């Protein structure tokens, strides 16, 4: 019997090893270990054995069973591994082939600049104010200390619709409207982005339509030094921590004193083609709100003071990204626009 | 304004300032110096020469062979091509080795076999624009007057060793439109004195008032008119120093009398005019408004038709000058002129502006009148011109001036407190600091406690209110010295409004969905203004457009987006997905601000999906774009409120277009561009949409709240319905929803079939229905009961049968 078992074990192990696939292997298991298999048959025949022999034989049967089971399991593992290897080999791909494109659009560079500036000033406690692009002469000029006949409001520079209606030439009318809404009570702290229009012929540096973003702060004790500090913070966040600003006296009818604000050039003052060798780039116009403007908007200029500033998104985008022609912003060439869909 | 460094140094000591240093200081104090030109810096080796002899070049008709004394032992031979070269002339000679502007090096040369050791120069060759050259030398070489010596530095003699500062003046600083005005500014910056000319013309016994009478008919336009009479002038070239300083100031020399009026104009900022007295036979000057339609020939020989809002100087009979703008051809100073009348007047700026604009004549004179001249200089400038005519044109100045009118406004007094100055600027200046700044400006001050009262000279008409004083203090104190602070007071929270935030949400969504943002022009042509518009009105027109293409305000964003797509298509970019947010402008009637509505529009053309190596290509269709719109609605929480209704507005494909409705109200359109338009607009099959963004964003967005995730399983039933082809899926869906009631949690179309296997005029639409009860597990019987109701309703309302 012992002989028989040894023979079965040897035979079963050989058959398991020879199995070509999992099915054949299963057949081997059923054939040798199944209910009708020879090992079970041996077990059934154990009743005929003596009480001494029975446990001995039982142990031997278990050893044989285990040996066959082990051989089958090992073969099964190797067959499964082969199968998965085969599947993997079949399923292998060239990972360097291009992925299925997810269509991605992007911001227009002017929106990018606008949102960047908006977010920067929102962080400093400003609200964003907007207003109509077709304006009344009053809000665009008169309320800004530019009465009719003022030399600085040349008809030639403005798209008029009727003598009292025009395409706004700056976003300052939004400041006027916002101040009027505040009805003489501060504080006011806004930035006004938007499209503006001038009677210019379009060329590399001029556009009849462009964008402006203006800021206005009116309060009980607003100082020129606050303007300087605010714009210094702006320049550092917008252009880099190492940048500085410089104020040069200038003239705008709606501010007094008025200044032009230069930001130090990225060349670090060495002088380059962007700053034309001066080390400074003109970026903003600014000043203290003219008392006439405050009064016309219902603020007591003895109590309130304020500062205002303005800049052009086109110019800032041109400086920031090195764009050489303002017309690119309005041609909507995808080869241009797509360059601005990357997040910095 | 071009400021000659040499000329300026007559009035203020600037010897210790290089032109560049001076320019930087002027700029930082408020007048931008746009450039400093130093002509001599790009030239060398140019001397005065004396042409000893000239003869015809033996081998060239157009060349002369000259022997020129250049201050050396031997004269040099120079071949010269100028027609006007001749023996006996003093000329500018670029010697061998000299350099002319543009790094043009002069070398020894042989010209048609004759040696040439240098070049005789014209003024243009020495860097003076030809429009500034005196007429007689504009076409040839320049001749010095006789007071130069061969061998001396020609550039110095021509004041080419000067530095010219180009000032860019803001409209408030017309006080700096004169050498004296600039001198005041520089004196204030440097803390120095101003040396003013003190004109005292030597006068003859004869009274000017015997020679001319003046009457002003329009005192508001011309409050003051002063004239002097200079007799027996010898017309000729003005001295070289004057001609060269004028050229450095950008003024072309003519003759001594005209040059003197221009010189004094530049010096004082007071425009003058010289009349030939013999042409004023009447002996009187009458200043009056022109008659409507009156004809007058200005000295540029153009006949002009005047109008009643223009002011003329007349001889009592006919105009002899358009006041402040240009003199008349009939009274011009010529080579034959003997007696001269010098006009120095104060003309109203607006009157001059009206005339100069009407005739398109802008001159140095009109520009100054328009901005307002200093009334206190009218007399001095007249005296100065008379003095110079006596000195430089051998004229006899008659005794006295003839003065009509009176204009001597008192200098304004403006007060400000020290506290106000410091609180506006954020500085801590002392009264001494402030007084010092005003004394540098040559403003008289008086202090009373904290208040300083400044007497502002008439030359600074721009200073009228305390803030103007603040600016003077700030600019001369220096903005660099103002500290950096931030506004104090209550901290305000900054934020976008819900509307502004919504706009950003929509933009981000569209960009994620593959659309690139475009920005197009608001101004357009008449035709495009109303094309594709959701609401067509008479478009708003510009009064004075610059072109037909930009003459009207748009009522839709689509025409320019289509143009942008066509632009890209034409440049090998066949697949385009662009969107824009922006205003359209709807006419509300004359002189009423148009209604501005913010719209969102887009165009998609070409492929919607493309994955080449896997052979996947899907062209854009209506449903691709509709999905995008539905996505916007989902982002804004409007999914259940948005619907689509078939429509056929102008410009769109009538079978493939829908209005977009919000709560049943139209808020936009989506559809294919009409195939018959594609050729005209140069795009192929393209899908468009335009939505009333302002309406979508003004809807209050629902607050987010959590709904528990269902704990009980749902049961799905699919049905394929056979209906008439005309039946719309949306109507079937709403029947299903209505009949399904609360247990029906979802329904969607999963198949549509119309074709051979269907009866003609019929189609099959398949829906997947999901039933669920959030409270308990549904039984099959419960679902069947509802489902039967749904099928019955479909049969009843849409004659829908289950597909066999």
């Amino acid at each position: 019997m012992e002989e028989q078992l040894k023979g079965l074990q040897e035979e079963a192990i050989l058959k398991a090893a020879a199995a070509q696939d999992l099915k054949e292997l299963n057949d081997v298991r059923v054939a040798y270990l199944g209910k009708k298999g020879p090992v079970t048959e041996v077990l059934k025949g154990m009743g005929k054995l003596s009480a001494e022999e029975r446990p001995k034989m039982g142990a031997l049967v278990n050893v044989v069973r285990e040996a066959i089971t082990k051989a089958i399991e090992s073969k099964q593992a190797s067959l499964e591994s082969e199968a998965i290897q085969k599947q993997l080999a079949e399923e292998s791909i060239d990972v360097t082939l291009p992925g299925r494109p997810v269509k991605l659009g992007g911001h227009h560079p002017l929106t990018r600049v606008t949102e960047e500036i908006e977010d920067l000033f929102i962080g400093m406690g400003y609200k964003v104010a907007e207003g109509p692009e077709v304006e009344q002469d009053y809000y665009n000029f008169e309320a800004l200390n530019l009465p009719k006949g003022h030399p600085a409001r040349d008809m030639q520079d403005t798209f008029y619709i009727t003598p009292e209606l025009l395409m706004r030439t700056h976003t300052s009318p939004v400041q006027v409207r916002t101040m009027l809404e505040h009805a003489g009570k501060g504080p006011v702290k806004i930035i006004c982005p938007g499209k503006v229009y001038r009677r210019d012929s379009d060329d590399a540096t001029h556009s009849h339509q462009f964008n402006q973003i203006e800021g206005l702060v009116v309060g009980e004790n607003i100082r020129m030094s606050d303007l300087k500090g605010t714009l210094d913070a702006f320049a550092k966040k917008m252009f880099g921590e190492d940048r500085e600003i410089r104020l040069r006296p200038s003239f705008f009818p709606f501010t007094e004193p008025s200044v032009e604000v230069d930001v130090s050039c990225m060349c670090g003052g060495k002088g380059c083609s962007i700053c034309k060798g001066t080390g400074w780039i003109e970026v903003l116009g600014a000043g203290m709100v003219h008392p006439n403007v405050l009064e016309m908007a219902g603020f007591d200029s003895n109590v309130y003071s304020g500062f205002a500033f303005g800049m052009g998104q086109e110019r800032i985008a041109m400086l920031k990204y090195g764009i050489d022609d303002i017309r690119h912003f309005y041609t909507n060439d995808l080869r241009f626009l797509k360059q601005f869909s990357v997040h910095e | 304004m071009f400021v000659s460094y040499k000329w300026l140094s007559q009035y203020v000591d600037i010897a210790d300032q290089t032109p560049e240093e001076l320019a930087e200081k002027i700029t930082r104090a408020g007048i931008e110096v746009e450039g400093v030109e130093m002509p001599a810096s790009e030239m060398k080796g140019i001397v005065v020469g004396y042409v000893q002899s000239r003869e015809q070049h033996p081998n060239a008709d157009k060349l002369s062979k000259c022997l020129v004394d250049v201050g050396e032992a031997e004269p040099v031979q120079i071949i010269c091509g100028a027609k006007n070269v001749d023996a006996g002339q003093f000329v500018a000679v670029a010697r061998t080795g000299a350099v002319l502007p543009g790094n043009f090096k002069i070398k020894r040369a042989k010209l048609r076999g004759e040696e040439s050791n240098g070049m005789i120069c014209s003024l243009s060759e020495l860097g003076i624009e030809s429009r500034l050259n005196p007429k007689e030398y504009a076409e040839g070489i320049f001749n010095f007057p006789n007071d130069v010596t061969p061998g001396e530095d020609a550039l110095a003699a021509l004041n080419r060793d000067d530095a010219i500062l180009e000032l860019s003046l803001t409209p408030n600083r017309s006080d700096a439109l004169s050498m004296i005005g600039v001198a005041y500014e520089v004196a204030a910056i440097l803390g120095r004195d101003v040396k003013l000319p003190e004109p005292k013309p030597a006068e003859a016994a004869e009274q000017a008032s015997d020679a001319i009478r003046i009457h002003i008919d329009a005192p508001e336009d011309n409050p003051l008119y002063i004239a002097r009479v200079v007799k027996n002038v010898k017309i000729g070239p003005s001295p070289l120093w004057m001609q060269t300083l004028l050229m450095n100031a950008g003024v072309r020399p003519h003759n001594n009398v005209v040059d003197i009026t221009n010189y004094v104009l530049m010096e004082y900022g007071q425009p003058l005019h010289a009349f030939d007295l013999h042409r004023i036979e009447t002996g009187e000057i009458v200043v009056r408004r022109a008659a409507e339609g009156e004809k007058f020939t200005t000295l540029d020989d153009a006949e002009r038709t005047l109008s009643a809002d223009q002011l003329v100087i007349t001889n009592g009979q006919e105009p002899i000058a358009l006041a402040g703008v240009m003199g008349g051809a009939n009274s011009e100073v010529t080579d034959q002129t003997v007696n001269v009348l010098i006009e120095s007047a104060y003309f109203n700026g607006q009157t001059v502006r009206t005339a100069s604009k009407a005739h398109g004549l802008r001159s140095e004179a009109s520009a100054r009148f328009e901005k307002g001249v200093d009334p206190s200089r009218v007399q001095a400038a007249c005296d100065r011109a008379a003095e110079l005519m006596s000195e430089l044109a051998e004229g006899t100045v008659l005794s006295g001036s003839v003065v009509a009118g009176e204009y001597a406004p008192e200098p304004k007094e403006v007060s400000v407190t020290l506290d106000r100055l410091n609180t506006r600027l954020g500085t801590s200046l002392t009264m001494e600091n402030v007084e010092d700044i005003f004394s540098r400006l040559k403003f008289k001050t008086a202090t009373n406690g904290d208040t300083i009262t400044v007497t502002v000279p008439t030359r600074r008409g721009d200073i009228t209110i305390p803030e103007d004083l603040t600016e003077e203090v700030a600019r001369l104190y220096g903005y660099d010295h103002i500290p950096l602070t931030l506004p104090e007071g209550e901290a305000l929270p900054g934020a976008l409004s819900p509307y502004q935030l919504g706009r950003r949400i929509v933009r981000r969504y569209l960009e994620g969905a593959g659309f690139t943002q475009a920005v197009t022009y608001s101004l357009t042509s008449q035709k495009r203004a109303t094309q594709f518009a959701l609401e067509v009105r008479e478009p708003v027109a510009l009064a004075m457009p610059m072109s037909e293409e930009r003459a009207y305000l748009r009522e839709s964003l689509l025409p320019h987006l289509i143009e942008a797509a066509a632009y890209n298509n034409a440049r090998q970019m066949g697949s385009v997905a662009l969107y824009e947010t922006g205003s359209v402008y709807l006419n509300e009637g004359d002189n009423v601000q148009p209604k501005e509505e913010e719209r969102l529009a887009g165009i998609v053309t070409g492929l919607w999906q493309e994955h080449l190596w896997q052979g996947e290509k899907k062209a854009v269709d209506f449903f691709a774009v509709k999905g995008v719109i539905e996505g916007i609605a989902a982002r804004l929480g409007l999914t259940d409120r948005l619907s689509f209704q078939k429509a056929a507005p102008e410009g769109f494909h009538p079978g493939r277009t829908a209005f977009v409705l919000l709560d049943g109200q139209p808020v936009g359109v989506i559809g294919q561009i009409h195939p018959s338009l594609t050729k005209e607009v140069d795009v192929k099959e393209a899908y468009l949409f335009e939505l009333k963004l302002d309406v979508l964003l003004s809807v209050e967005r629902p607050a987010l709240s959590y709904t528990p995730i269902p704990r009980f399983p749902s049961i799905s039933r699919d049905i394929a319905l056979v209906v008439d082809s005309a039946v719309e899926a949306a109507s079937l869906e709403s029947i299903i929803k209505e009949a399904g009631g609360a247990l029906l949690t979802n329904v969607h179309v999963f198949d549509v079939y119309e074709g051979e296997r269907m009866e003609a005029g019929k189609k099959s639409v398949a829906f997947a229905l999901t039933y669920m009860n959030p409270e308990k597990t549904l039984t099959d019987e419960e679902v069947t009961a509802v489902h039967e109701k749904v099928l019955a309703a479909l049969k009843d309302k849409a004659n829908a049968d289950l597909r066999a």
Side-chain angles (χ1 to χ4, degrees), chain B residues 51-65:
Chain B
V51 184
Q52 288 181 339
S53 68
R54 183 205 84 88
E55 55 187 80
Q56 183 64 46
H57 188 292
N59 307 318
D61 290 350
K62 290 186 175 164
L63 296 179
S64 301
K65 187 166 92 176

Side-chain angles (χ1 to χ4, degrees), chain B residues 537-726:
Chain B
R537 299 193 189 176
E538 176 66 34
V540 178
L542 296 182
M544 279 167 55
M546 297 190 72
S547 71
E548 281 181 19
E549 279 298 290
R550 308 273 173 256
Y552 290 83
L553 290 174
R554 64 180 177 191
E555 292 180 3
S556 166
L557 310 185
L558 288 171
H560 285 166
L561 278 178
I562 295 169
E563 182 184 47
Y567 172 96
N568 283 294
N569 282 169
R571 285 162 184 77
Q572 294 171 309
M573 289 167 285
S575 296
V576 175
L578 289 171
Y579 85 95
E580 178 172 19
T581 60
S583 288
V584 300
Y585 313 83
L586 304 177
N587 204 336
E588 296 270 281
D590 282 352
N591 262 327
V592 183
Q593 264 174 285
K595 194 160 123 211
E596 285 180 37
E597 292 185 353
E598 187 169 9
R599 296 282 174 83
L600 164 67
I603 181 167
V604 200
T605 181
L607 294 175
W608 183 245
Q609 275 161 8
E610 184 180 21
H611 195 211
L612 290 174
W613 66 269
Q614 291 188 319
E616 293 170 20
K617 266 190 188 183
K618 177 137 180 48
V620 63
D621 63 10
F622 178 88
F623 298 102
V625 184
K626 183 177 174 185
V628 170
I629 306 291
E630 287 170 331
I632 294 172
R635 268 281 188 277
L636 297 175
L638 300 173
T639 297
D640 296 337
R641 299 167 65 178
L642 210 69
S643 56
F644 296 82
Q645 186 182 69
K646 196 159 189 183
E650 176 122 18
F652 289 88
H653 188 308
R656 294 182 173 178
T657 298
F659 283 142
V660 183
L661 311 178
L662 177 74
D663 298 334
Q665 296 301 309
V667 289
V669 65
I670 162 181
Q672 187 187 334
I673 189 167
H674 198 293
S676 65
L677 275 177
T678 51
K679 206 169 228 174
E680 178 189 327
V681 297
D682 221 5
V683 291
K684 297 199 183 74
E685 184 175 331
Y687 289 85
L688 314 172
F689 66 89
E690 179 157 317
L691 299 173
K692 295 187 173 189
L693 186 63
D694 50 355
V695 175
L696 295 179
L697 296 183
S698 299
V699 175
E700 205 174 319
R701 291 194 280 280
L704 282 179
S705 76
Y706 160 75
T707 311
I709 292 160
R711 287 161 50 215
F712 302 99
S714 59
I715 292 177
S716 292
R717 294 278 168 97
D718 292 350
I719 50 174
L721 302 170
V722 177
V723 290
D724 288 347
S725 293

Side-chain angles (χ1 to χ4, degrees), chain A residues 103-124:
Chain A
K103 280 221 208 181
L104 279 181
H107 276 17
H108 191 282
L110 292 175
T111 302
R112 231 189 137 106
V113 168
T114 304
E115 290 192 355
E116 192 173 348
I117 297 170
E118 281 176 356
D119 292 344
L120 220 147
F121 280 100
I122 287 171
M124 292 198 266

